[in-house]
């Protein structure tokens, strides 16, 4: 009999190695998506708490009539009910590094937000300016992100 590895044995070993690598890569990419969903959830939770703080301040009527301008970067328009929505710049926005934008994020305690948000200071709603696809689902609202994170996909 011959010494060494036959061609059939080599092919079997290669197939097993390819399967192991494919499994590891698949799990790694899924972990990255799970981490992104968790990051968005944490960021939106922080934004929601900051907006609620501004709402409490608004109820106490501290400051003059223009004090709310310290807590957003630009007006984003009104919804069907006539409630105003405001845009807060994230790191990805071209205006992010503007000194004024930086001060406004600091006022809210949100210096490190990555995404642009729309907020409604009357209802306390916080939504992403643009929907993001995470784990095969498009999310935009806090509720949709929370449902995704709390689902069995994570």
């Amino acid at each position: 009999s011959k010494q060494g590895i036959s061609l059939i044995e080599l092919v079997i070993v290669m197939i097993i190695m390819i399967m192991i690598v494919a499994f590891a890569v698949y799990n790694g990419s899924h972990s990255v998506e799970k981490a992104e969903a968790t990051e968005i959830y944490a960021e939106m939770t922080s934004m929601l708490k900051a907006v609620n703080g501004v709402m409490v301040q608004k109820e106490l009527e501290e400051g003059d009539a223009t004090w709310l301008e310290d807590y957003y970067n630009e007006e984003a328009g009104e919804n069907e009910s006539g409630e105003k929505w405001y845009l807060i710049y994230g790191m990805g926005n071209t205006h992010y590094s503007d000194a004024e934008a930086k001060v406004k994020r600091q006022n809210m305690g949100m210096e490190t937000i990555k995404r642009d948000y729309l907020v409604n200071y009357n209802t306390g709603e916080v939504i992403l300016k643009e929907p993001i696809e995470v784990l095969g689902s498009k999310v935009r609202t806090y509720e949709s992100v929370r449902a995704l994170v709390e689902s069995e996909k994570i």
Side-chain angles (χ1 to χ4, degrees):
S1 72
K2 298 179 185 177
Q3 298 263 344
I5 300 175
S6 72
L7 186 58
I8 293 173
E9 291 171 332
L10 184 61
V11 168
I12 291 171
V13 169
M14 292 300 290
I15 289 172
I16 291 171
M17 293 297 290
I18 289 171
M19 288 172 49
I20 291 171
V21 168
F23 182 73
V25 168
Y26 174 76
N27 282 338
S29 66
H30 191 67
S31 295
V32 169
E33 287 183 345
K34 287 195 268 186
E36 181 183 14
T38 304
E39 176 191 14
I40 293 169
Y41 178 66
E43 188 175 279
M44 287 188 87
T45 300
S46 296
M47 282 294 298
L48 194 60
K49 288 178 182 178
V51 167
N52 285 334
V54 172
M55 289 174 63
V56 167
Q57 185 178 353
K58 183 179 172 188
E59 287 296 318
L60 296 173
E61 298 184 45
E62 296 178 9
D64 61 13
T66 62
W67 72 271
L68 189 59
E69 293 176 3
D70 292 337
Y71 297 98
Y72 66 87
N73 297 112
E74 65 181 79
E75 288 188 22
E78 297 180 357
N79 62 10
E80 301 82 32
S81 305
E83 295 172 331
K84 289 186 177 183
W85 285 82
Y86 302 95
L87 177 63
I88 299 173
Y89 300 146
M91 288 182 191
N93 191 295
T94 56
H95 301 292
Y96 177 82
S97 59
D98 293 352
E100 183 181 349
K102 186 175 183 179
V103 168
K104 291 183 180 194
R105 280 192 311 281
Q106 288 173 343
N107 288 342
M108 292 186 70
M110 301 302 303
E111 296 91 343
T112 60
I113 60 171
K114 292 184 177 181
R115 295 156 193 88
D116 291 350
Y117 286 93
L118 295 171
V119 298
N120 182 326
Y121 288 115
N122 291 326
T123 63
E125 290 178 84
V126 173
I127 62 173
L128 291 162
K129 182 181 175 199
E130 299 293 331
I132 297 175
E133 186 164 339
V134 181
L135 295 171
S137 300
K138 284 206 178 247
V139 294
R140 186 172 186 192
T141 65
Y142 176 77
E143 290 78 19
S144 63
V145 173
R146 185 181 71 197
L148 182 66
V149 169
E150 292 176 353
S151 74
E152 294 163 8
K153 289 185 175 184
I154 298 285

